Amino acid sequence: MLPKMIISAELKNLLDDAVHSELYASNLYKHLANQVQRLGYLGVQKFFLRESATELEHYQLHANFQNDVGTVAEVPAIEAMTESIKSLSDAMELAYDTEMELYNNYKKWYAKAASDPAVQQFLLQFIEFQRTSVGEYGDLLSRIQLVDQDKAGMLLIDQELGA
Ligand SMILES: [Fe+2]
């Protein structure tokens, strides 16, 4: 016999939405890596490729959790990336907005999972991941603002992020 699902169908759907978000973020960072590569920010390109890989680790945490609770994570279609990126600021602002939205979604999903402590406990780590990401991208946006498009300053940030 196959193990039976020990979470509610409603929470399973909610977790599949989170799976979509993690895969979407991974693809978004691949898109941003490609776009900043074209702009000449090769350090930032590396940074976004690492970010993309981290999102896939988050996805895998979800797949493993769903397996643990007797179900299977859906692997959804991911919409095409179309955002035009004309500067480093464009890329960082889009990353910041995406992480912030996911931070808010995880808090909402956590609240909705109040009936199941195991799901809530699992989701809690993602609130921490998101809080850290929002903080990190906020700092990066501040540093970009600080150099105010000065080319040498932007290249310094590029080097830092590539290290
Ligand atoms: Fe993530």
Side-chain angles (χ1 to χ4, degrees), residues 78-144:
I78 301 297
E79 45 281 47
M81 300 293 141
T82 53
E83 268 87 358
S84 116
I85 302 296
K86 297 201 161 57
S87 67
L88 184 53
S89 303
D90 286 351
M92 285 301 168
E93 279 167 23
L94 182 54
Y96 177 81
D97 290 346
T98 304
E99 295 293 340
M100 181 66 89
E101 191 185 334
L102 196 47
Y103 174 60
N104 288 324
N105 280 338
Y106 270 114
K107 284 196 294 183
K108 190 182 74 193
W109 292 329
Y110 178 84
K112 279 191 178 174
S115 62
D116 192 329
V119 174
Q120 270 200 325
Q121 185 192 38
F122 171 69
L123 288 174
L124 206 51
Q125 66 188 310
F126 291 90
I127 296 178
E128 175 77 4
F129 295 156
Q130 292 311 124
R131 183 189 60 72
T132 309
S133 284
V134 166
E136 187 184 7
Y137 280 109
D139 286 346
L140 286 171
L141 284 177
S142 298
R143 285 177 66 72
I144 288 169

Side-chain angles (χ1 to χ4, degrees), residues 22 55 58 130:
E22 296 295 347
E55 301 303 346
H58 295 168
Q130 292 311 124

Side-chain angles (χ1 to χ4, degrees), residues 27-46:
N27 278 11
L28 175 68
Y29 291 137
K30 286 179 173 44
H31 173 64
L32 295 182
N34 291 347
Q35 295 293 317
V36 298
Q37 181 181 24
R38 177 180 164 81
L39 295 174
Y41 293 112
L42 305 185
V44 185
Q45 177 203 6
K46 275 194 211 161

